[in-house]
Amino acid sequence: MSATPIPPDHPRVTPYLAVDGAAAAIDFYRTVLGAEERMRMTGPDGRVGHAELVLGNSVIMLADEFPEMGFLAPGAVGGTPVVLHVYVEDVDAVFAEALAQGAAELRAVRDEFYGDRSGQFQDPFGHRWSVATHVEDVPADELERRAARAAGSAADEA
């Protein structure tokens, strides 16, 4: 038995993705997000039973979908309500690479009132990603003013 209940090389919360095509998804995440593959276990049927990717100080676990076990990818359940948010060094370059690798744009990259430049895409496997680069530290009073302005603009558009 381990003396450490939480492994030291795992963050407290780790997303676990069911993917229809896990091997291709691993390649996509490595190419687009710069993820490093920490480990992969492939079953006798060729499906990825478990893999771990490292992005900075985060870990993403993933595996091929296993419908027989109720482990289903987004396409099998009509999409996903979950968005994975990742800070990157150059959001414009990462976003462009995601689109070049087959992702679909959900929201173009833009400067946000809270100091991030961000955009959203859906990867070819049905998972949604928000990628951002922090470009400005916004003081609390200014953040409040900007948020009110943004809320007013959203209300005007509705």
Side-chain angles (χ1 to χ4, degrees):
M1 181 169 154
S2 173
T4 307
I6 300 165
D9 58 348
H10 284 77
R12 185 62 68 107
V13 176
T14 302
Y16 203 118
L17 307 179
V19 183
D20 181 9
I26 291 167
D27 290 341
F28 179 90
Y29 302 143
R30 289 175 63 189
T31 300
V32 172
L33 300 172
E36 295 178 24
E37 185 175 334
R38 180 158 70 181
M39 61 94 63
R40 183 189 313 201
M41 293 186 296
T42 304
D45 62 359
R47 290 187 291 181
V48 174
H50 178 78
E52 295 180 7
L53 302 177
V54 177
L55 282 92
N57 61 356
S58 300
V59 174
I60 295 174
M61 296 180 184
L62 66 126
D64 273 301
E65 66 179 348
F66 286 82
E68 65 276 15
M69 295 171 45
F71 189 67
L72 303 171
V77 295
T80 180
V82 175
V83 176
L84 297 154
H85 183 80
V86 180
Y87 278 106
V88 297
E89 294 289 327
D90 183 345
V91 67
D92 294 285
V94 168
F95 199 83
E97 183 65 26
L99 298 183
Q101 295 295 324
E105 180 179 304
L106 299 175
R107 188 180 47 74
V109 174
R110 65 182 184 219
D111 292 334
E112 299 291 353
F113 71 89
Y114 45 84
D116 286 356
R117 182 164 173 74
S118 69
Q120 244 184 65
F121 63 83
Q122 181 171 307
D123 70 29
F125 314 96
H127 295 283
R128 293 173 165 234
W129 297 84
S130 171
V131 290
T133 300
H134 187 68
V135 295
E136 178 187 12
D137 293 330
V138 182
D141 59 335
E142 177 63 15
L143 183 61
E144 191 173 320
R145 280 192 291 278
R146 290 182 188 184
R149 254 193 329 268
S153 296
D156 294 341
E157 293 173 9

